[in-house]
Amino acid sequence: MQHNYPMDFQSKKLINDPNDVVTEFIEGLIENYPGLQYLDGFPEVKVVLRADVSGAKYDKVAIISGGGSGHEPAHAGFVGEGMLTAAICGDVFASPNVDSILAGIRAVTGPMGCLLIVKNYTGDRLNFGLAAEQAKSEGYKVEMVIVGDDCALPPPRGIAGRRGLAGTLLVHKNYTYLQKDSIDLFCFFVEFKVMRHWLVFVAVTLPMYLAVAGAAAACGLPLADVAAEAKHASEMVGTMGVALSVCTLPGQVTSDRLGPGKMELGLGIHGEPGAAVADLQPVDVVVSHVLKEILSPETNYVPITRGSRVVLLINGLGATPLMELMIIAGKAVPELQLEHGLAVDRVYTGSFMTSLDMAGFSISVMKADQAILDRLDAPTKAPNWPVGAEGNRPPAKIPVPLPPSHSIKSDKTLSRPEKLSPQGHILEAAIEAAATEVVILRDNLNEWDNKVGDGDCGSTMFRGAVAILEDMKKYYPLNDPAETINEIGASIGRVMGGTSGILYSIFCKAAYAKLKENAESVVTALHWADSLEAAIAAVSKYGGASAGYRTLLDALIPALSALKERLNAGDDPVDAFIISAEAASAGAESTKHMQAQAGRSTYVPGDILASVPDPGAMAAAAWYRAAALAVKEKYNTA
């Protein structure tokens, strides 16, 4: 038997090709549980969904979660009636791609919309964010809540925030199977927001706060209310983990980072180093330390006070024997009771959100009352909640749904018009000038990025600019500004990698959605300003940055401010555009004096940053200024 990938003693796995582990896992999962299906889109689209839900007919808010694989049973194992509607599976420890997320949204989302539950990692935020914007532009109602429950680190600086860790279990749960009278009473409380006084979750990243989302969705509440309750719950969540070993990615050799007799405290779930390395201690000492970190009044991550009733979740990370998990549970319960004055009403112990074959555990605590306990005790058909799943076996897979517009969008819509309107000529000139300027600036951008980043900003932007120039000749419907912006986003998404590519894709998608709201045939300067504002807001929302973080927004935010100010003052739109371009350039130059709070520049010493502007901001200012000058030239020669 021949293999073309390494297999030594440390990396032995019961797998075939390491590249196929996620798709083969899904196939095995579906064979075991007849209530689940998957979308027939392997290997790009990896989505597990409830077999009894059809998006077009589903009359409740769909709850969708997901992330990188390697954490099984999360998230696919918690899909089922009473828990998740769909789970989006990325490759091992990698965020799902936008196409997978969109496919999942289209497959299960009905008129009530869907809520995306996303762990706080940059890749997840950006990919789910772009998918959300795309889905909105297709007419779906979508909200997104980001969960960060890491209690191991002090309050963070910058935009990274607390990581999303274990949990997913308790929050995925809802009360679908309670008696009708209980459901009606619960919904009554939710409607009047009394729920905010008793749905206080404390430790479990996704699990605990999805329970609130599921419960609110089951009541038939509108999407905005479901999202609000989920957001509130996510702010009450805290988790901390301990690792005794490093996990092994399929087909790779185990890292020797963690030596004998050592343990890592406050680790993430992707094999990254923990907050601290310490000598291995007796489990009593370790459990006591973890609980103190979760319930610390100094960080105030979770609002737990003496006398509270709580639910305890002990989560194995993949290679921890059940015997050891039970020992941990046996030590945690009296510690919570005697040292913290809490009443422990339920204990759940098992492996719920793992990190492949990592030896270790995480502890989660949740504040509860009888209504919460009743919901957690209710049956569910999700396969990895400790209740068996029943039901007739439907087809194992169904087709990947197409975008709603696919069947009605003609080839002509995606073609360059035979004759350009005056507006089309101006738009063409602006796009050509902007893209050409980026091409010219490639080497300078790379030089700046070599000093403050990974050295490829210019090359990345160059690929996008070249694609735009080529696609514009054939595909851009230049007489339709909204659709043209959408196609620019498609060009960028096809060739630009990394964070820049997805940020600009989000930028274009949000601008497109705003322009589509305009029912007039001509797009005015105010319409363009509004679309720029929407695009900036989307990039800030999903990327996490804002003014002063040393990013492309430090060029675009001043440009927007100047543009709206001059337009509102009644200035000529072309002049306003030129003035805003000058503001963009000044904003980009000002990044020399900023401390980076986003991206790889965060790790660069301040004295180096002080001599170099942010390359992303300089690129944004350059294409913006080039577009403004081209528009001015067109109007002057008209």
Side-chain angles (χ1 to χ4, degrees):
M1 184 178 295
Q2 298 295 319
H3 297 286
N4 58 359
Y5 49 89
M7 276 288 191
D8 68 3
F9 179 78
Q10 289 186 315
S11 60
K12 288 180 178 178
K13 298 285 185 182
L14 295 173
I15 62 174
N16 295 308
D17 188 333
N19 296 316
D20 296 335
V21 292
V22 178
T23 56
E24 292 184 353
F25 154 74
I26 292 173
E27 289 170 342
L29 180 73
I30 301 306
E31 290 297 328
N32 278 274
Y33 301 106
L36 303 181
Q37 294 175 311
Y38 68 90
L39 297 180
D40 187 14
F42 289 167
E44 290 81 11
V45 174
K46 297 183 280 289
V47 177
V48 175
L49 61 156
R50 285 173 54 178
D52 62 336
V53 169
S54 171
K57 300 176 182 178
Y58 194 47
D59 60 356
K60 295 182 177 67
V61 173
I63 307 297
I64 300 174
S65 190
S69 295
H71 307 303
E72 291 70 34
H75 298 83
F78 299 120
V79 174
E81 184 177 351
M83 296 185 81
L84 287 180
T85 320
I88 320 298
C89 305
D91 290 327
V92 174
F93 293 172
S95 174
N97 61 49
V98 174
D99 288 342
S100 279
I101 301 167
L102 268 174
I105 293 172
R106 293 166 183 154
V108 300
T109 303
M112 294 291 286
C114 74
L115 176 66
L116 304 179
I117 304 297
V118 181
K119 297 190 295 298
N120 188 29
Y121 293 97
T122 300
D124 286 357
R125 288 176 58 147
L126 293 177
N127 283 288
F128 275 89
L130 177 54
E133 291 300 316
Q134 173 68 42
K136 289 176 186 177
S137 73
E138 294 175 7
Y140 293 99
K141 298 176 183 177
V142 182
E143 291 288 347
M144 186 168 108
V145 175
I146 297 170
V147 183
D149 64 323
D150 186 7
C151 291
L153 301 172
R157 298 172 59 190
I159 64 173
R162 299 162 64 189
R163 296 171 295 191
L165 302 179
T168 318
L169 177 65
L170 300 176
V171 179
H172 289 167
K173 190 89 168 52
N174 71 34
Y175 68 117
T176 301
Y177 293 94
L178 295 183
Q179 296 298 317
K180 182 179 185 300
D181 290 344
S182 298
I183 295 176
D184 291 342
L185 179 62
F186 179 75
C187 292
F188 174 83
F189 283 137
V190 175
E191 283 286 357
F192 287 90
K193 308 301 180 186
V194 176
M195 159 178 189
R196 291 190 181 278
H197 298 292
W198 49 268
L199 285 184
V200 182
F201 290 89
V202 183
V204 186
T205 212
L206 282 178
M208 296 195 178
Y209 100 109
L210 280 181
V212 174
C219 285
L221 292 182
L223 177 59
D225 288 353
V226 175
E229 297 303 339
K231 177 66 166 60
H232 174 70
S234 73
E235 295 169 349
M236 302 297 171
V237 173
T239 295
M240 182 172 173
V242 176
L244 306 183
S245 71
V246 180
C247 63
T248 305
L249 273 66
Q252 297 188 22
V253 177
T254 306
S255 167
D256 59 358
R257 181 183 79 235
L258 193 58
K262 298 292 183 180
M263 63 180 179
E264 284 185 334
L265 304 173
L267 67 151
I269 55 174
H270 301 106
E272 67 267 40
V277 175
D279 292 333
L280 185 62
Q281 299 290 320
V283 70
D284 293 25
V285 177
V286 179
V287 168
S288 178
H289 174 78
V290 169
L291 291 177
K292 286 178 182 178
E293 289 295 314
I294 293 173
L295 302 173
S296 169
E298 297 178 4
T299 57
N300 197 32
Y301 278 145
V302 291
I304 295 286
T305 57
R306 299 185 72 85
S308 297
R309 301 171 65 185
V310 299
V311 169
L312 172 68
L313 179 108
I314 307 297
N315 174 58
L317 295 176
T320 306
L322 185 60
M323 176 186 288
E324 295 179 25
L325 295 178
M326 289 299 178
I327 293 172
I328 293 165
K331 302 303 178 184
V333 172
E335 180 79 9
L336 288 171
Q337 292 171 331
L338 300 176
E339 295 299 322
H340 297 278
L342 305 176
V344 182
D345 282 334
R346 297 288 187 279
V347 180
Y348 296 90
T349 300
S351 294
F352 306 118
M353 178 174 278
T354 64
S355 186
L356 291 172
D357 59 350
M358 181 180 287
F361 69 95
S362 65
I363 293 181
S364 302
V365 186
M366 177 177 73
K367 187 176 182 180
D369 65 0
Q370 192 57 48
I372 292 291
L373 298 176
D374 288 344
R375 187 173 71 235
L376 292 174
D377 292 341
T380 175
K381 292 185 178 180
N384 286 107
W385 184 264
V387 174
E390 299 178 355
N392 297 323
R393 182 178 295 277
K397 58 185 178 182
I398 60 175
V400 174
L402 296 173
S405 59
H406 181 81
S407 59
I408 60 174
K409 184 180 274 189
S410 67
D411 292 339
K412 186 176 181 180
T413 306
L414 295 177
S415 300
R416 179 186 175 91
E418 294 182 4
K419 183 177 181 181
L420 293 181
S421 65
Q423 181 177 242
H425 278 294
I426 293 172
L427 184 57
E428 178 186 41
I431 295 171
E432 183 174 9
T436 301
E437 186 65 22
V438 171
V439 170
I440 295 171
L441 203 58
R442 176 180 61 178
D443 292 342
N444 286 339
L445 293 174
N446 280 340
E447 181 181 352
W448 291 323
D449 201 33
N450 269 321
K451 297 177 180 178
V452 299
D454 52 9
D456 66 349
C457 178
S459 299
T460 300
M461 295 291 293
F462 175 86
R463 287 194 296 271
V466 169
I468 289 170
L469 292 171
E470 292 177 351
D471 291 351
M472 183 171 63
K473 300 173 184 176
K474 301 178 181 179
Y475 305 118
Y476 291 1
L478 293 164
N479 292 340
D480 186 331
E483 292 296 339
T484 299
I485 296 300
N486 197 37
E487 291 305 312
I488 290 175
S491 300
I492 289 171
R494 192 180 72 253
V495 301
M496 278 180 68
T499 300
S500 295
I502 198 162
L503 284 176
Y504 271 107
S505 295
I506 290 173
F507 182 92
C508 292
K509 187 60 64 178
Y512 162 73
K514 190 65 179 179
L515 288 172
K516 288 288 285 185
E517 295 177 3
N518 174 33
E520 302 173 21
S521 59
V522 176
V523 177
T524 66
L526 282 174
H527 290 144
W528 283 113
D530 288 341
S531 69
L532 176 60
E533 185 171 27
I536 289 172
V539 169
S540 179
K541 175 182 178 180
Y542 297 117
S546 57
Y549 278 52
R550 194 181 166 96
T551 70
L552 79 165
L553 295 183
D554 289 305
L556 297 178
I557 290 175
L560 172 64
S561 178
L563 180 61
K564 298 198 79 170
E565 179 182 354
R566 299 324 310 162
L567 291 176
N568 291 333
D571 285 11
D572 178 80
V574 175
D575 293 337
F577 198 8
I578 293 295
I579 292 173
S580 70
E582 295 170 354
S585 298
E589 288 290 342
S590 73
T591 58
K592 291 180 180 178
H593 311 295
M594 296 178 186
Q595 177 62 45
Q597 299 187 64
R600 289 183 172 86
S601 295
T602 309
Y603 311 108
V604 177
D607 57 338
I608 295 179
L609 293 178
S611 65
V612 182
D614 178 70
M618 294 297 288
W623 63 252
Y624 190 98
R625 183 173 184 274
L629 292 173
V631 170
K632 180 178 181 180
E633 182 178 352
K634 273 291 182 182
Y635 271 101
N636 288 341
T637 57

